[in-house]
Amino acid sequence: MDISQMKEKLQTMLNPCRYTHSIGVMETAVHYAELFGADVEQARVAGLLHDCAKDIPWDEMPGMCDRLGVPLDAETRGQPALIHADLGAKLCALEFGVTDSAIADAIRYHTLGRAGMTLLEKIIYLADCTEPNRKSRPGLAKLRALCEEDLDAAMLEAILGTIRHVQERGKPLHSQTAEALRYFESLAGSPCQQ
């Protein structure tokens, strides 16, 4: 399936706003990939498909994951808004024929992040946060500027923003995001960071 076919299929799976967001993430991911020397086609596909499972009803996602063999930890299972990333990583293969594990991982980690993220994973996470259709919020301009210069510093800033958002909503912070925070904080404190 080529990118135009993927777009056509994705448009049938997402509401118009989410589809517009996905196009914005794809375009932003391509820009970051070009800027930082990542594989542009992987960034294009992962950016486009990152939310392919997002519009599946939340009450259907856990059972769908069980049927498809998508493992969910207890923290993720308890917060349906997080499930789409794991499910989307599986659906990119089943629905779109994308079997590249780097693309699947970029989709899988675009919501929670993780310690030791690859360049592609950081690009998709950050493109999701900064694409042009995102509503303006405190710190967005700073985050966009950081994304042009230093992806690790941008990741730290983005994760801190995510934590603030989670706290404001009174939700528990997923341990994977806490681990990602510690990882990017350690990079920021390293005297060898460039």
Side-chain angles (χ1 to χ4, degrees), residues 43-111:
R44 186 183 322 279
V45 172
L48 178 66
L49 300 182
H50 79 286
D51 270 351
C52 66
K54 187 83 172 192
D55 284 348
I56 295 169
W58 286 1
D59 61 341
E60 294 177 20
M61 285 188 191
M64 199 170 177
C65 287
D66 293 341
R67 284 191 304 280
L68 297 174
V70 176
L72 296 176
D73 60 46
E75 290 175 278
T76 302
R77 193 174 286 275
Q79 295 187 64
L82 302 178
I83 296 174
H84 78 280
D86 291 302
L87 184 54
K90 183 73 168 186
L91 292 183
C92 76
L94 295 177
E95 296 290 332
F96 297 91
V98 176
T99 57
D100 184 331
S101 62
I103 292 171
D105 283 346
I107 293 169
R108 182 174 295 110
Y109 300 118
H110 86 270
T111 301

Side-chain angles (χ1 to χ4, degrees), residues 2-139:
D2 67 23
I3 199 77
S4 63
Q5 293 168 316
M6 288 180 195
K7 286 179 183 177
E8 285 178 27
K9 182 171 183 69
L10 187 67
Q11 201 163 18
T12 69
M13 297 170 71
L14 299 178
N15 70 56
C17 290
R18 181 104 43 226
Y19 180 75
T20 298
H21 164 70
S22 296
I23 296 297
V25 172
M26 177 190 73
E27 291 169 351
T28 304
V30 165
H31 170 69
Y32 294 158
E34 290 170 345
L35 191 60
F36 291 98
D39 185 297
V40 171
E41 286 312 307
Q42 286 179 324
R44 186 183 322 279
V45 172
L48 178 66
L49 300 182
H50 79 286
D51 270 351
C52 66
K54 187 83 172 192
D55 284 348
I56 295 169
W58 286 1
D59 61 341
E60 294 177 20
M61 285 188 191
M64 199 170 177
C65 287
D66 293 341
R67 284 191 304 280
L68 297 174
V70 176
L72 296 176
D73 60 46
E75 290 175 278
T76 302
R77 193 174 286 275
Q79 295 187 64
L82 302 178
I83 296 174
H84 78 280
D86 291 302
L87 184 54
K90 183 73 168 186
L91 292 183
C92 76
L94 295 177
E95 296 290 332
F96 297 91
V98 176
T99 57
D100 184 331
S101 62
I103 292 171
D105 283 346
I107 293 169
R108 182 174 295 110
Y109 300 118
H110 86 270
T111 301
L112 297 175
R114 70 170 173 155
M117 291 175 81
T118 67
L119 177 58
L120 180 62
E121 291 166 12
K122 290 184 274 192
I123 285 171
I124 300 306
Y125 187 103
L126 292 167
D128 186 32
C129 295
T130 62
E131 64 96 3
N133 300 297
R134 280 285 186 196
K135 292 179 186 171
S136 184
R137 62 185 184 280

